[in-house]
Amino acid sequence: MLGDNLSDTLEKLKITGSDCASDKLDGCLDCLLQALGQNNIESSEKIKQSGILQVFASLLNSQSSCCTAKIAHIIAEIAKNEQMRIPCVDAGLIPPLVQLLNCKDQEVLLQTGRALGNICYDSHEGRRAVDQAGGAQIVVDHLRSICTLTDPANEKLMTVFCGMLMNYSNENDSLQAQLINIGVIPTLVKLLGVHSQNTALTEMCLVAFGNLAELESSKEQFASTNVADELVKLFKKQTEHEKREMIFEVLAPLAENDAIKLQLVEAGLVECLLDIVHLTVNSEKDDDIAELKTASDLMVLLLLGDESMQKLFEGGKGSVFQRVLSWLPSHNHQLQLAGALAIANFARNDGNCIHMVDNGIVQKLIDLLDRHVEDGNVTVQHAALSALRNLAIPVVNKAKMLSAGVAEEVLKFLKSEMPPVQFKLLGTLRMLIDAQAEAAEQLGKNVKLVERLVEWCEAKDHAGVMGESNRLLSALIRHSKSKDVIRTIVESGGIKHLVTMATSEHVIMQNEALVALGLIAALGLQTAECDLESAKLVQVLHRLLSDEKSAPEIKYNSMVLICSVMGSEPLFKEVQSLAFIGVVSKLRSHENKTVAQQASLTEQKLTVQS
């Protein structure tokens, strides 16, 4: 029955279509709306085949139809159907619909906003047509002019317009950038503040925020508004998981911006997050577990900003800092992780690090690591080692941390096969032994450690681990200046790695390698002679001195090393065979005085020895 009625109606519409004032037209449109309500897909298909979409285009273009709102309503219903969006564009419906946005009639604006929003939904063609017709600017202007009105009709219109903009720009960076340039963000923030009681409108606003917040260019605009206050106010009112989740999805990308981090902290977000942690920590419900993770992750993110972190640290007396400390002994892995990451973030300046070490943080981290030695949680291991590494940076902390047993604790993780853990373990040990001769000697004589370092120096799949292993190997020699350490490293096969390190693309690593090799040549040349020869040390030094791009300190330390290896007969023969004098004599006129002086000394030594 529906099919027959619809076919008749479509035939009548073709005939009366040009007669805009006809009462029959109104009746036909009612019939179409009824048919679409009963079976959208089948009715839409029939409407498309009948050619009525083109009739709608001419009716809308005529600008005099009394049925404009109804036609826009029908288009909105048709465009709910995915297959109908391109036909709507092809029928030329977008330009007249965009023109209708200039109309004053509330119902026409509402249905037009719905129609354009539905045509844009997941439709590249729909968005492009609306873009070309200039639809976004008109909608943003409307929102700007009505965003403070609180009557239900205008709130409904704003909800539709926000939805339209969301569908228009969703997952499309260039259209999102266009909206940001038009200035939609301050308007949406204002709208959120005025209409926070209107659930549908605030939700639509939040989704629009989420759309835009991922874009870097949006964050500066957001930072210049009071978005932090509005979001935190809204967050405090929420009692349902889903609603809080929506706000979290906006907060996370916004909180990547340092200015917004501080605004969120000042607006009281941290207290909200701590409350959520407190309420969900012992729950086994999936929703609560997910929310605990989101809240604690966001807390850690807020601590990545220097100002926001320092504000929460409050000289180590801050209640937030104290609450975070209580997470470390928790039985919840997520909280342990967040606690350790938070400590690592607090430990980003010397003052904080010194205060925390003096107040017993090291033992708490050791206790935490101890719970994760056997089959432990890798992310917790990584986070706790990160915290210890940062805490070990200030000179005054090193001896205290060594006497607290940090090195012994870290060595328990030598057997780890996880590169992130290996990387942090190496960094922590390297920080701890900096200028700590006794500790460097003790660790440098630890055969298990040195053998593991030599193994990791070949971890080509993990550049970070490889680099840190080389740097620790070099550091053990440089800080211990010990013959026993050199012997351990030679016997474990570490010399070739130090020679390779001297050719690194990083000047700091080249230099560390050359200084360590210089100490080997001065303190253990006989022990290391064969390894230095097979690693082609002399050829490497010749290359470094010949290369114009080598940094002055690299040239200087290479020449010091040449002088040192002359005490070995096989190495000296290599020096003679490579005609070093020519290369070195050129460096006597080097712009760096220290390099030029060392070149003169080295040339004299080479000449005398020859």
Side-chain angles (χ1 to χ4, degrees):
M1 182 66 190
L2 168 70
D4 294 343
N5 276 355
L6 182 57
S7 301
D8 291 348
T9 302
L10 292 169
E11 279 305 315
K12 280 182 200 163
L13 257 178
K14 279 186 194 170
I15 299 160
T16 59
S18 55
D19 180 7
C20 299
S22 167
D23 290 340
K24 288 181 188 168
L25 176 60
D26 202 28
C28 290
L29 296 175
D30 283 338
C31 185
L32 287 192
L33 279 171
Q34 192 182 356
L36 286 163
Q38 288 173 346
N39 187 335
N40 190 309
I41 292 174
E42 193 183 311
S43 303
S44 294
E45 188 55 40
K46 286 201 167 179
I47 290 169
K48 180 176 85 172
Q49 287 169 358
S50 70
I52 288 299
L53 291 177
Q54 286 78 355
V55 174
F56 285 162
S58 61
L59 281 171
L60 292 176
N61 275 320
S62 71
Q63 294 292 312
S64 60
S65 172
C66 52
C67 304
T68 305
K70 217 165 261 185
I71 294 170
H73 186 178
I74 290 168
I75 296 167
E77 295 306 314
I78 290 170
K80 284 180 179 174
N81 180 346
E82 190 183 346
Q83 312 301 324
M84 292 300 295
R85 289 167 200 152
I86 292 175
C88 285
V89 174
D90 293 344
L93 289 172
I94 302 294
L97 282 170
V98 167
Q99 280 309 307
L100 287 180
L101 290 171
N102 295 308
C103 152
K104 297 280 184 282
D105 184 295
Q106 192 106 23
E107 183 62 17
V108 171
L109 286 173
L110 186 76
Q111 297 304 344
T112 303
R114 285 188 61 234
L116 290 170
N118 289 352
I119 291 170
C120 286
Y121 186 78
D122 260 356
S123 166
H124 177 64
E125 293 77 7
R127 290 170 185 171
R128 191 169 54 207
V130 173
D131 178 24
Q132 286 168 350
Q137 177 76 61
I138 304 171
V139 170
V140 173
D141 289 344
H142 267 300
L143 281 173
R144 199 174 287 132
S145 68
I146 63 173
C147 68
T148 55
L149 304 176
T150 53
D151 59 288
N154 271 306
E155 287 197 326
K156 192 174 178 185
L157 184 57
M158 285 181 253
T159 307
V160 166
F161 278 165
C162 284
M164 183 245 150
L165 291 177
M166 183 188 75
N167 288 353
Y168 172 70
S169 64
N170 190 34
E171 293 181 356
N172 185 314
D173 286 0
S174 66
L175 294 180
Q176 287 169 1
Q178 179 196 73
L179 291 180
I180 292 162
N181 292 336
I182 291 171
V184 74
I185 288 173
T187 302
L188 289 175
V189 174
K190 197 173 193 182
L191 200 144
L192 188 69
V194 175
H195 303 277
S196 58
Q197 304 302 326
N198 185 317
T199 310
L201 185 48
T202 49
E203 282 185 13
M204 204 52 91
C205 221
L206 287 170
V207 179
F209 278 167
N211 245 356
L212 299 170
E214 297 287 348
L215 234 62
E216 212 43 55
S217 58
S218 76
K219 289 171 190 169
E220 282 178 26
Q221 271 207 28
F222 274 118
S224 67
T225 69
N226 63 334
V227 70
D229 287 325
E230 295 300 354
L231 288 172
V232 173
K233 254 191 273 177
L234 193 64
F235 192 87
K236 285 175 178 170
K237 290 179 191 168
Q238 305 311 320
T239 51
E240 294 169 41
H241 271 299
E242 291 75 18
K243 299 283 163 57
R244 286 200 296 262
E245 189 58 40
M246 281 187 84
I247 302 172
F248 272 138
E249 281 173 15
V250 179
L251 288 170
L254 286 181
E256 287 167 11
N257 176 282
D258 281 1
I260 299 175
K261 282 185 181 78
L262 184 60
Q263 291 168 8
L264 289 168
V265 167
E266 288 172 341
L269 178 61
V270 173
E271 289 72 18
C272 300
L273 298 177
L274 290 171
D275 287 346
I276 285 177
V277 168
H278 180 67
L279 291 170
T280 55
V281 65
N282 296 315
S283 171
E284 289 179 7
K285 290 185 197 160
D286 288 348
D287 278 353
D288 287 340
I289 293 167
E291 194 163 24
L292 172 72
K293 180 177 181 346
T294 308
S296 53
D297 284 350
L298 186 51
M299 177 83 192
V300 171
L301 180 58
L302 291 175
L303 292 172
L304 278 173
D306 289 338
E307 285 186 83
S308 51
M309 176 271 287
Q310 214 50 44
K311 190 171 180 65
L312 294 170
F313 189 66
E314 290 181 62
K317 306 279 190 292
S319 61
V320 172
F321 173 64
Q322 298 301 327
R323 287 277 287 277
V324 166
L325 285 185
S326 73
W327 293 356
L328 294 177
S330 158
H331 294 292
N332 184 302
H333 281 185
Q334 174 58 34
L335 268 200
Q336 292 170 6
L337 170 63
L341 288 172
I343 299 303
N345 285 345
F346 281 126
R348 285 208 317 281
N349 66 50
D350 283 7
N352 292 3
C353 289
I354 293 164
H355 181 280
M356 286 193 276
V357 169
D358 286 348
N359 284 275
I361 190 69
V362 171
Q363 194 54 51
K364 288 184 169 70
L365 288 165
I366 288 176
D367 293 345
L368 174 60
L369 276 171
D370 247 353
R371 293 157 70 184
H372 289 276
V373 175
E374 298 300 327
D375 304 321
N377 182 302
V378 173
T379 52
V380 175
Q381 292 171 358
H382 179 261
L385 289 168
S386 295
L388 287 171
R389 181 198 174 280
N390 289 1
L391 290 166
I393 292 172
V395 177
V396 295
N397 281 357
K398 297 179 197 293
K400 293 173 189 171
M401 290 176 72
L402 285 164
S403 60
V406 171
E408 292 78 3
E409 184 63 34
V410 169
L411 287 173
K412 292 177 184 175
F413 294 89
L414 263 185
K415 56 182 183 285
S416 171
E417 293 302 332
M418 305 306 289
V421 173
Q422 296 166 353
F423 180 71
K424 287 296 176 187
L425 166 161
L426 293 162
T428 306
L429 290 176
R430 186 165 64 79
M431 287 300 155
L432 280 172
I433 62 165
D434 191 1
Q436 305 297 310
E438 196 183 319
E441 179 161 15
Q442 204 180 339
L443 287 170
K445 292 191 293 192
N446 181 327
V447 177
K448 270 188 180 165
L449 169 63
V450 174
E451 284 179 347
R452 194 71 160 133
L453 292 183
V454 170
E455 181 191 330
W456 286 340
C457 280
E458 293 173 3
K460 293 197 168 47
D461 293 343
H462 302 286
V465 172
M466 194 162 85
E468 277 291 349
S469 303
N470 278 301
R471 292 189 76 184
L472 182 53
L473 212 49
S474 152
L476 291 169
I477 295 168
R478 287 183 296 112
H479 297 302
S480 71
K481 300 181 177 61
S482 152
K483 289 182 178 179
D484 290 337
V485 170
I486 290 168
R487 189 178 306 107
T488 307
I489 289 173
V490 171
E491 287 168 0
S492 303
I495 296 297
K496 63 181 180 188
H497 295 300
L498 290 171
V499 175
T500 305
M501 183 181 168
T503 64
S504 163
E505 59 193 25
H506 305 291
V507 174
I508 191 166
M509 286 177 69
Q510 282 185 299
N511 212 35
E512 287 172 359
L514 290 170
V515 172
L517 289 164
L519 286 163
I520 291 168
L523 300 170
L525 188 54
Q526 262 50 56
T527 319
E529 186 178 65
C530 289
D531 288 20
L532 291 170
E533 190 181 2
S534 63
K536 300 193 167 31
L537 170 67
V538 175
Q539 286 92 319
V540 165
L541 294 174
H542 191 274
R543 255 200 335 270
L544 290 174
L545 288 170
S546 308
D547 185 353
E548 289 177 9
K549 293 195 203 83
S550 291
E553 59 268 39
I554 302 305
K555 291 193 187 295
Y556 173 82
N557 282 321
S558 296
M559 288 187 282
V560 170
L561 192 44
I562 286 295
C563 296
S564 301
V565 298
M566 285 188 204
S568 152
E569 195 180 329
L571 292 173
F572 180 51
K573 275 185 185 164
E574 286 191 22
V575 170
Q576 285 180 311
S577 72
L578 279 171
F580 266 83
I581 289 185
V583 179
V584 171
S585 64
K586 280 185 193 167
L587 293 173
R588 282 194 337 219
S589 56
H590 196 278
E591 59 186 3
N592 182 299
K593 281 186 183 153
T594 316
V595 172
Q597 284 168 349
Q598 185 59 41
S600 296
L601 290 170
T602 308
E603 189 182 21
Q604 283 168 24
K605 198 157 187 184
L606 285 165
T607 310
V608 170
Q609 295 281 359
S610 297

